[in-house]
Amino acid sequence: MKFALVVLLFLSSCSVYETKVSELLKVTLSHGGGLIGRYLSSHSGRGIRAFMDVPYAEPPIGHLRFSNPVPKEPWEGFLKVSGNADHCLQYDYLYKGNMSIGSEDCLYLNVYVPQVSKSKDLLPVMVFFHGGGFQSGNGKRVSFGPDYLLDEDAILVTGNYRLGVFGFLTTNTPDCPGNYGLKDQSLMLRWIQENIGAFGGDRNSVTIFGQSSGGISVTYHTLSPLSRGLFQRGIAHSGTHLGLRSIQDIRVAARSARKLVNMLKCPSEKSNPEEMLECLRSKSAQEINSHFYDLFLWDVYPDIYWSPVVEPPNLGAFLDQELSEISTGDDIPFMLGVTSNEGVMVSASILQSSELINDVKTKWNTILPPTLSYNFYTKDTQDRLTDIITEFYVQDYEKDMNDPIFFQKFTDAVSDGYFISPTDRFIQSRQESSLDSNTYLYFFNHKGDSSYAELLQQNVNADHGVSHIDDMISLFPILKGHLFSGFATEEDDYIRKAMVSLWVNFATYGNPTPTGRDVELPRWDPVGSFPYNYLRIGRYNQTENVSRICMERVLYPERLLFWRQIRDILNDSPVDID
């Protein structure tokens, strides 16, 4: 009894005393101040030095709200970083507007380093930008930890960037130009250039990769003068900057800003832009964020409401030229791909609500434009596109989301409009620049023990194929988080190991299956000419007698050509800016 009491007294007083910190967990940054990290382990048990929630910018609050990011001021001594910083302020889409989380003080990044590497060389650096439609998400360990990727020799960097109105509000004026979230990402890349050598990383071997809006971000960085020279390779999962959801006409974006200003009872920027910004900066972040869902046209659509724009000329612009006037960047190796049923992220979520199901049936012509993000065009253009898309996908089917055939056709329309067509357009742009010889396309077709479609429909027994985000389950330890109760199968483990090997090879050599390396996988060939070569990863039906991973050709050629026609129509159509 006395022994137990002594132990309890000791444990209760431990926080009073400083314990010894291993020199391996200390890193001195370029400005002279340092970090104290913590010890983690990878999936296979390899040691990891983790430096979580490292401040890379000053908190974007007060006069820094709706402003370009400011690098973090140097500090003296060692800062203990352990992963307790907040998300960037947002509404979480999964909770249908019922959950506002995070804070404005959120510009932190995480660096994960192997404790012992197999090579004496500097390590390649992989920088991940999270998805979430530029409106939600985070780069924290619980979502995008190093467990799988650091089974190999690489350094992983993740982080937060401003979201929603705080990341992308613009008034189409130099004092509020927009794209702050993308500028945050670019500052992260600059921080890496200045500091990654202290962690044993190679600043000349940086691969940026991201999923959904994170993938869109990656392709934007290939265009931006702010990011030029800060990375050497790119990987875009399920998204590029050449989609309808990926960019907004700045005049439309400024109109949205005026609507928000009116809701907050601030003066219009036309009468006094400085007074308007001062008013916006005086409002609480929660009050501004409370109007998040007031601007949507149907449910949460268009789902990327505050988004990237071509900025008016200003000092520190991320993007101030029209996309058609910019090449796709330096001659860098690039990987990109999609899952086999991307659009389930929309169609499965509709099944949660009888009201939404009825809207699809009775208000088809009203809900389709915001769902596919062509609602910013004139009414005539919207009506024309709705007729064309309806004829191509659903024809005379009754628009019943509970009908499996209609459900799949609706899903295909979303898959193509949101993800597959933008992927095709990005490959086209690479081919026009003769960069297709180092462009690699994948098609993720592995249905694991858990899928994001289960969360979207709130039905663990639903089987709607391989959803948007499902490929992330093979690169990050998402199953270990709080969202899923799944358990990796033998097939899951095989796909995970293969993807980690391919992705780290690409980050190291610029080729996922480099010549001369002992890679027990099929050679991954570049895309070539249309219809493209692609690597199929996974077999949806695991009882099929087909390879789990193999090269294939001809990915949805009719659907891709259809969306090329849609883009031609939109290129000749005016945007509604009234």
Side-chain angles (χ1 to χ4, degrees):
M1 186 63 149
K2 288 183 178 179
F3 175 75
L5 182 59
V6 169
V7 171
L8 285 173
L9 289 171
F10 172 75
L11 291 175
S12 66
S13 62
C14 275
S15 59
V16 177
Y17 300 100
E18 288 291 332
T19 57
K20 180 181 178 181
V21 176
S22 169
E23 292 301 313
L24 286 174
L25 294 178
K26 290 183 178 181
V27 168
T28 300
L29 302 179
S30 59
H31 61 66
L35 302 171
I36 297 175
R38 58 177 293 191
Y39 182 84
L40 302 175
S41 59
S42 75
H43 185 72
S44 67
R46 296 184 72 193
I48 295 173
R49 295 187 297 144
F51 302 85
M52 296 179 285
D53 292 338
V54 179
Y56 69 88
E58 292 296 316
I61 58 178
H63 70 283
L64 294 182
R65 180 190 285 172
F66 307 128
S67 296
N68 293 348
V70 175
K72 182 68 179 175
E73 284 289 328
W75 61 85
E76 295 182 358
F78 283 86
L79 180 67
K80 187 174 288 188
V81 288
S82 57
N84 295 319
D86 219 334
H87 301 58
C88 285
L89 191 61
Q90 61 191 267
Y91 268 97
D92 193 316
Y93 276 133
L94 289 178
Y95 292 90
K96 291 292 183 181
N98 296 322
M99 189 175 181
S100 177
I101 56 177
S103 93
E104 286 187 279
D105 182 3
C106 62
L107 299 185
Y108 299 87
L109 56 79
N110 314 295
V111 184
Y112 304 102
V113 186
Q115 179 187 5
V116 179
S117 66
K118 302 169 188 174
S119 170
K120 294 182 180 179
D121 296 332
L122 294 175
L123 294 177
V125 183
M126 302 181 71
V127 186
F128 182 75
F129 300 130
H130 69 78
F134 295 116
Q135 320 300 309
S136 64
N138 67 85
K140 295 179 75 65
R141 176 192 171 199
V142 67
S143 302
F144 301 109
D147 304 44
Y148 297 165
L149 288 168
L150 263 68
D151 274 342
E152 301 286 341
D153 275 354
I155 290 176
L156 174 66
V157 180
T158 65
N160 296 335
Y161 55 93
R162 280 173 285 180
L163 302 166
V165 63
F166 301 100
F168 295 93
L169 179 113
T170 178
T171 58
N172 195 12
T173 57
D175 51 353
C176 187
N179 290 340
Y180 308 118
L182 292 171
K183 293 170 184 176
D184 294 342
Q185 295 176 6
S186 190
L187 184 58
M188 287 172 56
L189 296 178
R190 194 162 297 281
W191 186 96
I192 289 166
Q193 286 295 304
E194 294 171 355
N195 293 291
I196 204 64
F199 299 88
D202 186 351
R203 59 180 290 183
N204 296 312
S205 183
V206 175
T207 298
I208 58 174
F209 68 127
Q211 188 272 336
S212 197
S213 56
I216 294 170
S217 300
V218 167
T219 58
Y220 268 124
H221 286 293
T222 68
L223 308 178
S224 174
L226 285 187
S227 303
R228 192 162 296 131
L230 302 182
F231 63 97
Q232 287 71 43
R233 289 169 287 281
I235 307 172
H237 302 252
S238 304
T240 79
H241 69 282
L242 293 171
L244 292 178
R245 306 160 65 242
S246 307
I247 193 164
Q248 197 171 173
D249 186 289
I250 194 167
R251 297 165 297 177
V252 174
R255 181 179 64 192
S256 297
R258 290 193 294 272
K259 290 180 182 178
L260 178 65
V261 164
N262 290 334
M263 292 175 186
L264 293 166
K265 296 181 170 53
C266 286
S268 167
E269 93 283 357
K270 286 187 176 179
S271 59
N272 192 328
E274 291 182 2
E275 186 179 353
M276 184 212 70
L277 274 177
E278 183 179 345
C279 178
L280 285 175
R281 287 169 178 152
S282 72
K283 300 290 184 179
S284 74
Q286 288 293 348
E287 182 180 1
I288 295 174
N289 207 40
S290 68
H291 292 286
F292 179 74
Y293 280 91
D294 294 342
L295 294 164
F296 290 96
L297 300 178
W298 178 70
D299 191 37
V300 296
Y301 301 103
D303 63 329
I304 299 184
Y305 199 92
W306 302 103
S307 58
V309 295
V310 176
E311 303 168 44
N314 70 96
L315 186 64
F318 180 86
L319 183 71
D320 60 4
Q321 289 182 273
E322 294 298 329
L323 300 184
S324 59
E325 300 173 1
I326 313 173
S327 71
T328 55
D330 298 328
D331 186 7
I332 64 171
F334 211 94
M335 275 171 48
L336 72 168
V338 294
T339 69
S340 56
N341 228 22
E342 294 271 11
V344 164
M345 67 168 284
V346 175
S347 52
S349 65
I350 291 173
L351 292 180
Q352 288 189 55
S353 166
S354 59
E355 181 181 352
L356 296 182
I357 292 172
N358 186 63
D359 282 350
V360 172
K361 183 178 293 188
T362 61
K363 302 177 182 178
W364 177 255
N365 287 7
T366 301
I367 67 100
L368 195 63
T371 303
L372 292 180
S373 297
Y374 60 88
N375 56 289
F376 299 115
Y377 290 85
T378 62
K379 183 66 165 56
D380 288 345
T381 299
Q382 291 183 46
D383 290 343
R384 180 186 178 193
L385 289 184
T386 298
D387 289 344
I388 294 172
I389 292 169
T390 301
E391 174 63 25
F392 185 82
Y393 287 99
V394 302
Q395 300 171 4
D396 296 327
Y397 283 97
E398 183 180 357
K399 298 170 180 64
D400 182 1
M401 294 298 293
N402 289 307
D403 176 355
I405 297 177
F406 175 78
F407 179 91
Q408 187 58 53
K409 289 179 177 293
F410 179 85
T411 300
D412 290 344
V414 175
S415 297
D416 296 347
Y418 275 24
F419 307 107
I420 297 175
S421 171
T423 298
D424 171 48
R425 294 190 70 219
F426 186 78
I427 294 173
Q428 280 186 287
S429 71
R430 300 275 291 181
Q431 291 177 323
E432 291 165 2
S433 303
S434 301
L435 302 179
D436 56 316
S437 62
N438 60 2
T439 305
Y440 302 89
L441 176 65
Y442 75 86
F443 182 73
F444 188 80
N445 194 38
H446 172 65
K447 178 67 165 61
D449 187 60
S450 294
S451 167
Y452 267 88
E454 301 164 7
L455 299 177
L456 296 165
Q457 190 183 344
Q458 298 293 296
N459 180 359
V460 295
N461 296 315
D463 184 0
H464 295 308
V466 183
S467 170
H468 185 64
I469 318 180
D470 279 357
D471 49 345
M472 293 295 96
I473 296 175
S474 295
L475 291 175
F476 296 102
I478 296 171
L479 291 182
K480 297 180 181 179
H482 65 281
L483 292 177
F484 295 107
S485 298
F487 190 84
T489 65
E490 182 275 334
E491 191 90 356
D492 294 342
D493 282 338
Y494 175 83
I495 297 297
R496 171 183 57 78
K497 291 176 182 177
M499 283 188 67
V500 167
S501 176
L502 292 166
W503 264 240
V504 175
N505 274 342
F506 181 79
T508 306
Y509 306 105
N511 185 326
T513 51
T515 302
R517 300 292 300 175
D518 184 18
V519 180
E520 297 179 359
L521 291 167
R523 177 181 172 80
W524 189 344
D525 296 321
V527 291
S529 59
F530 182 83
Y532 310 124
N533 302 315
Y534 64 93
L535 187 73
R536 176 178 52 75
I537 301 174
R539 49 190 178 186
Y540 179 69
N541 184 348
Q542 296 179 14
T543 63
E544 289 181 307
N545 186 25
V546 295
S547 299
R548 291 185 281 191
I549 297 177
C550 68
M551 286 299 302
E552 293 186 352
R553 190 169 171 82
V554 187
L555 180 63
Y556 303 141
E558 297 86 1
R559 288 156 59 177
L560 291 180
L561 291 174
F562 172 78
W563 276 91
R564 290 184 184 183
Q565 295 172 12
I566 294 293
R567 293 303 311 208
D568 288 340
I569 293 172
L570 292 177
N571 288 339
D572 295 329
S573 300
V575 172
D576 180 10
I577 57 173
D578 294 333

